[in-house]
Amino acid sequence: MSGLRSSQVAGAAGVNLQTLRYYERRGLLAEPERSLGGHRLYPAEAVTILRVIKAAQRLGFTLDEVADLLAAGGHRHDGHDSGLRERARLKLAEVQTKIADLEVIASTLRAAVAAGCDDLVTCAGEPCCPIPFATIATDPLIAEGAPAAGPR
């Protein structure tokens, strides 16, 4: 029986042992065989799978999304598309939306710095304040004193 031990797989993939075990529990990585001494023995492909998982996470995919992609990709031999291209398009649209939101935030913060805003309360009372306090104050839940909720 041959294979790579947990520490070898984790080291080669650049993850720690807890991450390796977690991915195994989540089903992202197949449960390895065991040596006669009870040590986990992973196939060499496990290193590639771990690297794919980490790369997909850096691209913004959640672990659930990665699990779906891995499961779909595992059925390549039946001639079906894994859906990676479409999922990448959707993730790209999501990232572009986040970038647009961050550009608005950056622009507003640059304007606040340029306007010399040093005190939020004082700035909020000034008509030239670039921070959109007036827009935030028109939210009916906030105006009533209820805590602001997430997106509705």
Side-chain angles (χ1 to χ4, degrees):
M1 191 177 285
S2 67
L4 301 172
R5 286 187 158 190
S6 300
S7 60
Q8 293 172 307
V9 172
V15 301
N16 62 45
L17 289 173
Q18 291 81 11
T19 299
L20 180 66
R21 300 278 194 280
Y22 179 69
Y23 290 169
E24 191 179 314
R25 283 192 309 272
R26 292 272 316 250
L28 296 167
L29 197 58
E31 188 173 328
E33 293 184 16
R34 299 275 183 161
S35 70
L36 294 176
H39 297 285
R40 288 175 164 88
L41 295 175
Y42 294 88
E45 179 186 52
V47 174
T48 301
I49 292 170
L50 287 168
R51 288 178 177 162
V52 166
I53 293 168
K54 297 311 288 180
Q57 285 183 300
R58 282 191 296 277
L59 292 173
F61 289 99
T62 66
L63 279 180
D64 286 338
E65 291 168 333
V66 172
D68 289 344
L69 286 168
L70 288 173
H75 303 295
R76 287 183 300 240
H77 60 276
D78 64 8
H80 288 98
D81 182 4
S82 70
L84 175 60
R85 184 175 296 133
E86 181 58 26
R87 292 171 197 220
R89 281 187 193 129
L90 293 171
K91 186 55 68 177
L92 178 58
E94 183 181 310
V95 168
Q96 288 172 325
T97 298
K98 287 179 184 179
I99 289 171
D101 290 345
L102 288 172
E103 287 173 348
V104 169
I105 291 169
S107 174
T108 302
L109 290 172
R110 278 192 289 278
V113 169
C117 297
D118 281 332
D119 181 292
L120 286 178
V121 175
T122 302
C123 189
E126 299 294 323
C128 63
C129 179
I131 300 175
F133 292 110
T135 306
I136 295 169
T138 59
D139 184 324
L141 289 177
I142 295 173
E144 293 173 10
R152 286 174 264 215

